[in-house]
Amino acid sequence: DSGVTQTPKHLITATGQRVTLRCSPRSGDLSVYWYQQSLDQGLQFLIQYYNGEERAKGNILERFSAQQFPDLHSELNLSSLELGDSALYFCASSPLGTWKTQYFGPGTRLLVL
Amino acid sequence: AQTVTQSQPEMSVQEAETVTLSCTYDTSESNYYLFWYKQPPSRQMILVIRQEAYKQQNATENRFSVNFQKAAKSFSLKISDSQLGDTAMYFCAFMKRGISNFGNEKLTFGTGTRLTIIP
């Protein structure tokens, strides 16, 4: 158990819909990262937040957005869903300091039908 | 941009044997971190081992060790005395070390090697 929690574990929805994925980082970790794992794209970085502020953006679609709240939990919002958005979405957190090891949550498996 | 290449899509080895997974990367950075993550059938991403680029000594974690060749940009993972529980997808990952503590700390992953330990 990494200490990072993600809900829900599974999500099935239809095209055009909107969903919210939730992540709680490990106690004390200020940085949260979102990754997408799909069969055709592999593991890709989406976005990073540090203590409520966006720090880095990767290959995140405009239909996707994220935020980190004062209690440090983070949400990833996916809208106007398409079949190709079906993937495993991971959240990771890392501590402040020299070592930036990222600890991953169990992931949310999204299926868009 | 950084790239990570894992040239072995699949490997299999007998239980108790030693296996080495290959990883090469391309970067113009001089300060960075390298990681190996394991993803078993449960799909959980589990950190196996990590290495700082400025450290010449190869990292070791119990049965897992790396061969880090900075000049060759190579970072292979050796698993000794392999066990059935080592069956998983293994991902090599690169992270640039930012100037500050709050920079772009994304992980760039390779495509993975599927390792099967045969009883």
Side-chain angles (χ1 to χ4, degrees):
Chain A
D1 186 357
S2 67
V4 179
T5 61
Q6 288 187 249
T7 56
K9 289 186 179 178
H10 302 277
L11 202 47
I12 301 175
T13 188
T15 54
Q17 295 299 304
R18 173 190 170 94
V19 298
T20 297
L21 313 183
R22 182 187 169 106
C23 167
S24 292
R26 297 184 326 153
S27 177
D29 286 357
L30 300 180
S31 278
V32 169
Y33 312 78
W34 287 97
Y35 292 87
Q36 179 194 59
Q37 185 177 29
S38 62
L39 284 175
D40 54 344
Q41 299 285 341
L43 266 161
Q44 288 202 96
F45 167 74
L46 294 178
I47 197 164
Q48 175 198 358
Y49 277 83
Y50 175 82
N51 202 22
E53 293 187 10
E54 182 185 304
R55 286 294 177 179
K57 239 176 182 177
N59 298 325
I60 187 166
L61 300 171
E62 287 190 9
R63 301 183 286 108
F64 296 1
S65 65
Q67 59 186 123
Q68 187 179 26
F69 295 86
D71 67 352
L72 301 178
H73 91 272
S74 178
E75 293 180 357
L76 179 66
N77 299 296
L78 315 177
S79 61
S80 301
L81 285 167
E82 302 175 359
L83 296 178
D85 298 328
S86 296
L88 185 55
Y89 290 86
F90 284 109
C91 168
S93 73
S94 71
L96 185 64
T98 304
W99 265 115
K100 295 302 192 305
T101 299
Q102 294 181 23
Y103 298 92
F104 283 73
T108 293
R109 190 185 297 269
L110 173 67
L111 180 60
V112 182
L113 299 175
Chain B
Q2 287 69 230
T3 58
V4 177
T5 301
Q6 293 180 250
S7 58
Q8 306 152 311
E10 293 189 24
M11 296 185 72
S12 60
V13 66
Q14 293 289 137
E15 190 176 7
E17 290 187 348
T18 295
V19 61
T20 299
L21 280 56
S22 301
C23 172
T24 58
Y25 58 94
D26 188 24
T27 185
S28 58
E29 303 290 333
S30 56
N31 291 319
Y32 50 87
Y33 305 102
L34 294 164
F35 303 85
W36 279 98
Y37 281 88
K38 162 185 176 180
Q39 187 177 41
S42 66
R43 307 303 297 273
Q44 173 80 48
M45 292 290 288
I46 301 166
L47 176 69
V48 174
I49 200 165
R50 58 192 184 189
Q51 175 86 37
E52 285 188 87
Y54 74 87
K55 287 188 176 178
Q56 293 187 350
Q57 186 175 4
N58 290 322
T60 300
E61 289 286 343
N62 300 313
R63 298 182 295 107
F64 299 88
S65 61
V66 298
N67 184 3
F68 174 48
Q69 302 288 328
K70 190 173 183 179
K73 295 180 181 174
S74 171
F75 183 61
S76 60
L77 174 70
K78 186 172 84 171
I79 305 174
S80 303
D81 186 27
S82 56
Q83 301 174 0
L84 297 179
D86 296 332
T87 291
M89 196 77 167
Y90 286 80
F91 291 96
C92 178
F94 173 101
M95 180 196 294
K96 182 176 71 171
R97 181 171 179 170
I99 297 173
S100 70
N101 278 335
F102 316 115
N104 183 346
E105 298 157 351
K106 70 173 186 178
L107 285 167
T108 299
F109 288 91
T111 51
T113 295
R114 186 175 303 279
L115 176 66
T116 301
I117 308 301
I118 303 167

